[in-house]
Amino acid sequence: MKTWIGLTVIATSLSVFGQAPKATAPVAPHRSSTHAEPSTQIGSPLPMEVSTSVEPHYRGMNASAIFDVLHRNIGVIKASEYETKTQFDARLQRIMSLPLFDGHKVGDQYTFALGGAWAGERSFSSEGGDPLSYLRGAIQTSYNSESQILTVTLPIVTGMASGMYDMAFGWGYDVRTVGHHVGQNAFGVKMAVTDSVIHEQTLDFNDADIAWLESHCEQESARSDVKCKVPVSAARARAMDGSIRVALGSTLKEPYTAEDSGTQKATIDSPYENHEVRHGLFISPNQLVIYDGRTGEVVAQYIK
């Protein structure tokens, strides 16, 4: 397993929201177990074409739970040096037809919501002045009252793999305290250290996977944030303030999952030792729905 220092990535992804979190005091856990029975944990996808609304408080599907099922039952799928492209493609077709949970197959449509929290979780609040707004698939919104345009921004973070798959949307971020110990630096100074585990879940893809969005949304460069501009009246924008969500319809694609980990050691200024795990779920987006997370009202819908 390669070493991944997660906070370097997080600092990049969080820079648009403010100061990125250093090894700070962990916040109480908010994410329910992803190892529970899939039938109660994973959720349901949206149809490829939605009408004027989705279910109120729609939260999409649980990417962490889907990662767990895929990683446990299928693992990381890569081409072998002993198989031709035709043979590998045939193997992928067989994998796509495999049952995953509740009648869903690997090759089916999945929907992941960005913004808000998974059902049963509390919102992740920041402590100590660290604006952790990337948590739970953060999105940004701004409104121009002169042009009456609502801008919804989907931040791009660094992907799990090199090569084509080098971009991702952040879906979830979880910090939990697991213990304490006494640490000592090179000068013999002792300090109480808090041990925490950080789990990050991303939705990984490549630039070709979202190229179809160019006709609907803006992206300054291949790895810059995606910005969708929607005409919305001031009254409507005010009513939806703080509740805008983005549903990302997608299919899963090889290598399907990736896992990486690393540790950030404590220092005198930051006495927190963070053990970090990052899970990547590989997707190919084909639908983007902007909606009001409270009422379910659809603001805009783009389909590949």
Side-chain angles (χ1 to χ4, degrees):
M1 177 179 292
K2 64 182 179 180
T3 300
W4 168 74
I5 304 301
L7 288 182
T8 301
V9 176
I10 295 170
T12 301
S13 64
L14 280 171
S15 61
V16 295
F17 302 109
Q19 180 184 355
K22 299 178 289 185
T24 55
V27 185
H30 76 292
R31 183 171 58 88
S32 51
S33 171
T34 58
H35 296 281
E37 184 63 28
S39 60
T40 61
Q41 280 291 311
I42 290 184
S44 57
L46 291 179
M48 272 304 291
E49 291 191 32
V50 298
S51 55
T52 58
S53 65
V54 300
E55 178 184 351
H57 306 290
Y58 178 71
R59 299 183 185 277
M61 304 180 78
N62 190 326
S64 287
I66 293 174
F67 173 92
D68 282 353
V69 175
L70 272 171
H71 201 63
R72 182 170 60 248
N73 298 329
I74 296 177
V76 179
I77 304 300
K78 294 182 179 180
S80 166
E81 61 181 316
Y82 303 108
E83 64 183 344
T84 65
K85 183 180 184 306
T86 300
Q87 291 171 329
F88 179 59
D89 290 343
R91 182 156 65 96
L92 287 180
Q93 288 299 315
R94 290 193 296 272
I95 290 172
M96 292 176 64
S97 65
L98 293 175
L100 197 56
F101 62 91
D102 289 350
H104 288 271
K105 297 179 180 179
V106 175
D108 288 347
Q109 179 81 357
Y110 294 84
T111 305
F112 305 102
L114 304 181
W118 177 253
E121 300 170 354
R122 68 175 179 82
S123 296
F124 202 112
S125 59
S126 61
E127 291 184 0
D130 288 316
L132 303 179
S133 51
Y134 161 54
L135 310 176
R136 300 301 309 153
I139 58 174
Q140 294 174 286
T141 61
S142 62
Y143 186 72
N144 187 316
S145 57
E146 296 295 334
S147 61
Q148 296 200 330
I149 294 294
L150 172 70
T151 299
V152 179
T153 301
L154 284 65
I156 296 286
V157 300
T158 303
M160 284 284 290
S162 60
M164 291 191 303
Y165 298 98
D166 53 6
M167 293 184 291
F169 292 127
W171 184 86
Y173 187 90
D174 181 46
V175 182
R176 44 185 89 202
T177 300
V178 295
H180 302 82
H181 72 274
V182 176
Q184 180 174 299
N185 67 8
F187 301 101
V189 178
K190 294 183 178 181
M191 59 184 175
V193 176
T194 298
D195 298 304
S196 61
V197 173
I198 298 175
H199 171 252
E200 183 181 14
Q201 177 70 60
T202 57
L203 303 172
D204 292 60
F205 53 90
N206 60 31
D207 54 356
D209 287 319
I210 60 171
W212 62 275
L213 271 174
E214 292 178 356
S215 59
H216 307 290
C217 303
E218 299 176 0
Q219 194 177 19
E220 293 181 1
S221 64
R223 289 165 180 79
S224 61
D225 297 344
V226 175
K227 298 184 178 183
C228 303
K229 298 180 181 293
V230 187
V232 175
S233 69
R236 189 181 180 197
R238 188 180 302 111
M240 296 186 297
D241 185 35
S243 67
I244 291 293
R245 303 287 182 265
V246 172
L248 196 67
S250 309
T251 55
L252 307 178
K253 62 184 302 182
E254 55 86 20
Y256 294 105
T257 64
E259 184 177 33
D260 222 338
S261 62
T263 298
Q264 185 184 41
K265 297 294 185 179
T267 65
I268 293 294
D269 295 331
S270 186
Y272 305 98
E273 184 163 299
N274 295 331
H275 306 277
E276 305 162 33
V277 177
R278 180 172 174 179
H279 291 163
L281 182 65
F282 291 84
I283 65 170
S284 181
N286 53 29
Q287 176 193 36
L288 191 152
V289 180
I290 301 173
Y291 65 101
D292 185 331
R294 285 191 290 261
T295 66
E297 177 187 1
V298 171
V299 180
Q301 178 179 195
Y302 311 122
I303 299 175
K304 183 177 180 180

